Amino acid sequence: MRVLMIGAPGAGKGTQGVRVAAHYGIAHISSGDLLREHIATGSSIGRAARTYVESGDLVPDSVVLDMLRKPIVAASEQGGYVLDGFPRTAPQARALHDAAADDGASVEVAVHLEVPEDRLTERLLARGRDDDTPQVIAHRLEVYRRQTVPMLELYAERDLLVTVDGDGDVDEVSDRVERGLQERLRRRQVP
Ligand code: AMP
């Protein structure tokens, strides 16, 4: 199965993405986690990405695409993927679509986790990652509204979008995600 987790910073993409991946026995690929690893090891990708991540801006598409191409193809060959945090812009979604169509690895379900903004800020401040300061959080939310929200339309047009209420406790939200996935997969099987 090939799934996307889409949501604002703090919506629970990581937590829920890990659970979906474990449930279906597929790879969980987080663009944010991979970027933080590259930054920690000081690789060329890490050096290209660092200032963007620290300020809450998006890393250039070319850097992210370079980093993810191989893991996505490898995961597709081994049963599928949960992509968490990628794609995040319409051009990234188109690049994924074009690359994946060639390899038979196209997205089957895009899960959009929806959480009210005041709850997002609360969650992020409680988490306290380096880029979870009030100023950077406000900027990341703005970047999400401006650059990621328009991308949802692409998945809605292809009838791949499942919107899930992400406000609630983790188990409750997991149940909603699972129901949404099942419903979407059933619909796909109807001729
Ligand atoms: P995340 O862990 O998903 O919240 O991502 C943390 C940061 O990594 C973001 O604020 C961006 O700077 C960068 N990042 C993660 N995924 C992407 C992506 N798909 N495109 C561009 N930048 C990204």
Side-chain angles (χ1 to χ4, degrees):
M1 179 150 78
R2 296 178 298 275
V3 184
L4 305 184
M5 301 300 297
I6 307 169
K13 301 185 296 290
T15 306
Q16 298 299 334
V18 166
R19 289 185 170 211
V20 171
H23 185 90
Y24 290 94
I26 52 182
H28 170 245
I29 302 175
S30 158
S31 50
D33 287 351
L34 288 172
L35 286 167
R36 284 183 287 277
E37 278 170 31
H38 278 283
I39 291 169
T41 58
S43 72
S44 59
I45 288 176
R47 290 196 304 276
R50 192 173 59 83
T51 53
Y52 297 99
V53 173
E54 283 173 356
S55 61
D57 282 314
L58 294 184
V59 173
D61 291 346
S62 59
V63 175
V64 176
L65 288 165
D66 259 7
M67 176 179 80
L68 292 175
R69 197 166 287 121
K70 275 193 197 153
I72 291 175
V73 171
S76 301
E77 288 168 0
Q78 288 161 30
Y81 53 67
V82 176
L83 289 184
D84 155 8
F86 173 87
R88 226 170 173 108
T89 62
Q92 287 182 9
R94 286 193 203 97
L96 174 64
H97 186 72
D98 293 348
D102 298 341
D103 300 325
S106 22
V107 172
E108 292 168 285
V109 190
V111 176
H112 170 212
L113 282 175
E114 211 170 31
V115 176
E117 273 209 12
D118 48 343
R119 297 280 299 126
L120 295 170
T121 308
E122 251 171 59
R123 286 188 190 182
L124 292 168
L125 287 172
R127 183 174 72 178
R129 215 167 64 192
D130 282 353
D131 57 347
D132 288 337
T133 63
Q135 212 183 357
V136 177
I137 289 171
H139 186 57
R140 281 158 61 213
L141 290 173
E142 170 60 22
V143 166
Y144 178 75
R145 282 193 294 269
R146 208 175 53 232
Q147 297 189 261
T148 307
V149 169
M151 180 190 86
L152 293 171
E153 193 53 38
L154 296 181
Y155 292 103
E157 277 166 10
R158 291 185 201 132
D159 196 22
L160 298 178
L161 192 66
V162 173
T163 298
V164 171
D165 176 3
D167 197 7
D169 76 34
V170 175
D171 289 337
E172 214 168 77
V173 176
S174 292
D175 287 346
R176 289 180 204 143
V177 169
E178 187 49 34
R179 279 201 300 274
L181 284 174
Q182 289 300 333
E183 204 245 323
R184 181 65 197 76
L185 294 174
R186 259 198 311 279
R187 219 149 34 90
R188 189 187 55 177
Q189 281 153 11
V190 176

